[in-house]
Amino acid sequence: MAARGTSSWALSGCCWGVMVTAASVTDRDAGQTLLARRRKRHWRISLVWADGGYSGRLVHLARDVLRIALTVVKRGDVATGFVVLPKRWLVERTFAWLMHSRRLARDYETRTDTSETMIRWSMSMVMSRWLARRAR
């Protein structure tokens, strides 16, 4: 998911929330928990972009309960092959940045909290490099 709020971090593709779950948990269920957590902490977030896996009742829950506009970015019906989707590239670019960390290139972790910590650690390196470049 990508979020838009008052923070420029969200717009630049940096992580605003991490939640690692077991493979048996659907994206919609995990998305509901993650959105609720983020809403409590970042109450100014008003718009979130998500891929097709987050459609359905999650869109209505985000709008009615959390007061967040959840916009699902879908591929066109006539599109074949690779197609750049609007706003989706932010998330894909962030995943590419995270894959520079050797520890995240493979799934070595057995605990979800350890995986979340490794993602946060890797993202802090990405953000510190980004800040160092902007400070020049």
Side-chain angles (χ1 to χ4, degrees):
M1 284 189 204
R4 184 187 75 176
T6 57
S7 171
S8 62
W9 289 110
L11 293 174
S12 66
C14 292
C15 241
W16 61 273
V18 176
M19 184 174 172
V20 177
T21 62
S24 61
V25 178
T26 65
D27 287 348
R28 289 181 195 102
D29 293 340
Q32 180 178 348
T33 305
L34 182 62
L35 281 175
R37 282 186 198 169
R38 292 298 93 194
R39 186 62 171 167
K40 286 179 185 175
R41 185 142 197 196
H42 303 287
W43 54 271
R44 287 187 171 189
I45 291 176
S46 58
L47 175 64
V48 174
W49 294 291
D51 68 5
Y54 296 96
S55 60
R57 62 183 170 90
L58 182 60
V59 175
H60 303 295
L61 175 104
R63 182 188 63 223
D64 298 338
V65 177
L66 301 173
R67 307 255 190 258
I68 297 173
L70 179 64
T71 304
V72 177
V73 179
K74 291 188 178 179
R75 234 179 113 130
D77 294 333
V78 294
T80 58
F82 176 76
V83 178
V84 177
L85 299 175
K87 305 300 179 190
R88 178 86 179 260
W89 67 272
L90 290 169
V91 176
E92 299 301 331
R93 181 185 63 187
T94 304
F95 286 148
W97 288 341
L98 290 173
M99 288 301 112
H100 287 270
S101 295
R102 187 174 179 179
R103 186 93 180 246
L104 296 176
R106 299 277 186 269
D107 192 15
Y108 295 115
E109 312 305 331
T110 57
R111 296 177 42 180
T112 58
D113 59 339
T114 307
S115 293
E116 289 176 5
T117 302
M118 296 313 301
I119 292 169
R120 286 188 184 101
W121 173 72
S122 179
M123 202 66 219
S124 67
M125 290 190 324
V126 169
M127 288 191 279
S128 62
R129 286 186 199 125
W130 186 77
L131 284 171
R133 272 187 247 131
R134 286 192 64 137
R136 291 183 209 175

